[in-house]
Amino acid sequence: MGPKKQSEKLKRLVAVQRHMERMAESDLSTTAKRIEENTVSMDSVMDAIGSLEPVHRLFAQNYADRLSNSDKQLRGLQQVQEMKVMRERAKGDRLEENMKDARDHEDREADDNSIYDLIDLQFATPASSKLHE
C-alpha cells in the first residue's frame, strides 16, 4: 500500500529525482574520464608526430585526426550532460519545495482540526452535563 499523504508521495518522487540526478552526474563523470584519456592519447600521438621516422608521422597524423574528432564529440556530449545534470537538479529542487509546501499544508490542516476538536469538546461538554442532571 502506497503513501496516502501528498507530502509522502512527493518525498518518494524527490528520492527518485535525486537518483536520476546522481545517474546524470555519473554519466558526466564517465565522459570527463574519457576526455582525460583522450587528452593523454593525444599527447602520445603528438610525441609520435615529432618522431623522425616517416611511418610514425603518417600513422600518428591519421590517429591525431581521429582523436581530435573524438575530443570534439566528447566535449559536445559533456555539455549536453552538464545541462542534463542541471535540469535534473532543478526538477529535484522543485519537487522538494513542493513536498515541503505540502507538508506545511498538512501540518496546518492537522493543527486546525485539533483546534476544531478542542472547540467541539468545549461546547459539547456543558450540554452533555445538563442532560445528566
Side-chain angles (χ1 to χ4, degrees):
M1 186 180 217
K4 294 183 180 185
K5 292 183 178 179
Q6 183 71 18
S7 63
E8 291 174 2
K9 291 177 185 177
L10 287 170
K11 184 177 180 178
R12 289 180 59 204
L13 283 174
V14 167
V16 169
Q17 189 60 42
R18 293 302 180 198
H19 182 73
M20 296 289 290
E21 182 181 335
R22 284 191 302 275
M23 287 174 47
E25 287 172 348
S26 175
D27 290 344
L28 180 59
S29 172
T30 301
T31 301
K33 287 177 188 174
R34 287 176 57 196
I35 288 173
E36 187 175 322
E37 291 169 359
N38 199 33
T39 302
V40 170
S41 295
M42 186 69 87
D43 291 341
S44 299
V45 168
M46 290 303 148
D47 290 342
I49 288 176
S51 170
L52 296 177
E53 295 182 36
V55 174
H56 284 345
R57 268 190 263 152
L58 289 175
F59 173 74
Q61 184 62 43
N62 186 13
Y63 195 63
D65 291 341
R66 284 183 167 177
L67 286 174
S68 177
N69 289 336
S70 175
D71 188 56
K72 288 177 186 176
Q73 290 174 343
L74 287 172
R75 299 235 181 241
L77 179 61
Q78 184 180 27
Q79 287 179 337
V80 169
Q81 288 174 337
E82 286 171 350
M83 289 187 298
K84 183 177 180 180
V85 166
M86 296 301 289
R87 200 171 42 244
E88 297 296 336
R89 185 171 293 137
K91 285 180 190 177
D93 292 346
R94 278 194 309 270
L95 283 171
E96 193 167 3
E97 187 64 34
N98 289 340
M99 177 194 69
K100 289 177 183 177
D101 290 345
R103 188 179 300 142
D104 289 343
H105 177 73
E106 290 165 357
D107 290 345
R108 255 191 322 261
E109 187 176 346
D111 290 344
D112 289 348
N113 287 338
S114 65
I115 290 172
Y116 291 142
D117 289 344
L118 285 173
I119 292 171
D120 287 344
L121 285 173
Q122 183 66 31
F123 290 114
T125 304
S128 62
S129 64
K130 289 182 183 179
L131 292 176
H132 292 294
E133 292 179 0

